[in-house]
């Protein structure tokens, strides 16, 4: 609910870190080379927010599902979607800024950093769901 405040704090933190390392120009060049269809935010802030959010979702599902095998499935699903995201961004970039690839990658990352995966995976992997389906 407070994602704007979190993004602002992460952006300031990353800017301070890059300035302290003398790399503030590098991050500006990196940001300019990124399509607005992929993100309008600071790339390091977006990446760190996504990692924290997805990590929190995986931890929540692990606690609720109470099963290491199901947690591995959750991690594999998240990783598959993240790999698809990266491939779309790279393909869009290498293909000369392919708009549809950037738009689709944006939808995937928006999906991953929302509560939807948790809401879909929890009932699918809930311990009692499989035994009810067999009856």
């Amino acid at each position: 609910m407070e994602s704007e405040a979190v993004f602002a704090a992460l952006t300031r933190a990353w800017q301070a870190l890059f300035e302290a390392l003398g790399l503030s120009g590098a991050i500006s060049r990196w940001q300019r080379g990124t399509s607005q269809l992929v993100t309008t935010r600071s790339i390091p802030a977006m990446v760190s927010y996504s990692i924290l959010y997805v990590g929190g979702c995986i931890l929540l599902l692990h606690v609720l599902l109470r099963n290491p095998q199901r947690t591995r499935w959750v991690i594999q699903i998240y990783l598959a979607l993240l790999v698809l995201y990266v491939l779309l961004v790279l393909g869009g970039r290498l293909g000369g800024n392919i708009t549809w690839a950037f738009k689709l990658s944006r939808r995937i990352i928006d999906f991953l950093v929302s509560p939807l995966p948790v809401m879909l995976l929890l009932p699918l992997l809930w311990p009692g769901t499989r035994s009810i389906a067999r009856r």
Side-chain angles (χ1 to χ4, degrees):
M1 292 182 62
E2 298 295 327
S3 63
E4 292 305 318
V6 173
F7 271 114
L10 286 171
T11 300
R12 284 191 304 273
W14 280 108
Q15 285 173 340
L17 177 66
F18 275 85
E19 285 176 14
L21 296 173
L23 298 172
S24 58
I27 196 164
S28 298
R29 285 188 304 276
W30 191 20
Q31 192 70 37
R32 273 194 308 271
T34 304
S35 171
Q36 295 291 340
L37 295 172
V38 175
T39 186
T40 57
R41 301 181 190 277
S42 161
I43 292 173
M46 182 204 57
V47 170
S48 55
Y49 177 85
S50 299
I51 290 170
L52 290 169
Y53 193 95
V54 168
C57 290
I58 291 170
L59 181 62
L60 175 65
L61 285 165
H62 175 71
V63 168
L64 293 173
L65 294 172
R66 302 177 308 270
N67 183 301
Q69 178 62 38
R70 289 186 179 107
T71 300
R72 280 191 290 279
W73 292 339
V74 167
I75 292 169
Q76 289 170 352
I77 290 167
Y78 271 103
L79 282 176
L81 288 170
L82 286 170
V83 167
L84 179 59
Y85 168 78
V86 168
L87 289 174
L88 284 167
V89 170
L90 288 175
R93 185 89 184 241
L94 294 174
N97 292 329
I98 301 172
T99 304
W100 67 264
F102 289 148
K103 286 182 179 180
L104 184 56
S105 69
R106 177 61 187 245
R107 299 293 179 256
I108 290 170
I109 204 69
D110 286 343
F111 173 75
L112 285 174
V113 293
S114 75
L116 286 174
V118 173
M119 292 188 307
L120 293 172
L121 290 171
L122 187 58
L124 286 174
L125 298 175
W126 191 256
T129 306
R130 299 190 88 177
S131 62
I132 292 172
R134 289 186 209 161
R135 291 182 191 167

